[in-house]
């Protein structure tokens, strides 16, 4: 299985997450607390350093009070 990690997609996801979080005026710390994930993980996701889990994406969507699909609404 070659090319399982699509780095461009992971980076675009993180950039979109940051854009949404900032537009809602929510800090990384508040998002991490609400999603029950480490603050360092939020930063790594936003910088495209990690390929996050489905569970984390679900928790983030709930913490941001949006449909999970909105986190994937970007061009890549």
């Amino acid at each position: 299985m070659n090319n399982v990690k699509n780095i461009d997609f992971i980076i675009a996801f993180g950039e979109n997450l940051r854009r949404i979080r900032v537009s809602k005026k929510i800090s990384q710390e508040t998002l991490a607390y609400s999603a029950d994930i480490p603050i360092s993980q939020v930063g790594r996701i936003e910088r495209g350093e990690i390929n996050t889990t489905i569970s984390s994406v679900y928790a983030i969507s709930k913490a941001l009070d949006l449909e999970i699909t909105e986190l994937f609404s970007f061009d890549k």
Side-chain angles (χ1 to χ4, degrees):
M1 288 187 39
N2 294 337
N3 207 13
V4 172
K5 279 172 94 170
N6 184 321
I7 301 302
D8 292 335
F9 185 84
I10 293 168
I11 290 170
F13 178 86
E15 290 172 349
N16 190 48
L17 170 57
R18 177 178 289 130
R19 182 190 58 74
I20 292 169
R21 178 183 58 75
V22 169
S23 74
K24 290 180 169 273
K25 298 179 177 32
I26 297 172
S27 68
Q28 285 185 346
E29 183 177 11
T30 299
L31 176 57
Y33 179 79
S34 297
D36 194 27
I37 60 176
I39 188 172
S40 61
Q41 184 173 342
V42 172
R44 289 192 318 266
I45 294 168
E46 288 187 353
R47 291 188 301 274
E49 294 175 357
I50 62 170
N51 189 4
T52 192
T53 66
I54 292 171
S55 296
S56 292
V57 173
Y58 177 77
I60 289 167
S61 73
K62 293 303 171 196
L64 291 172
D65 191 31
L66 50 85
E67 294 294 321
I68 199 167
T69 55
E70 291 180 63
L71 290 171
F72 294 97
S73 293
F74 54 87
D75 294 325
K76 262 306 158 200

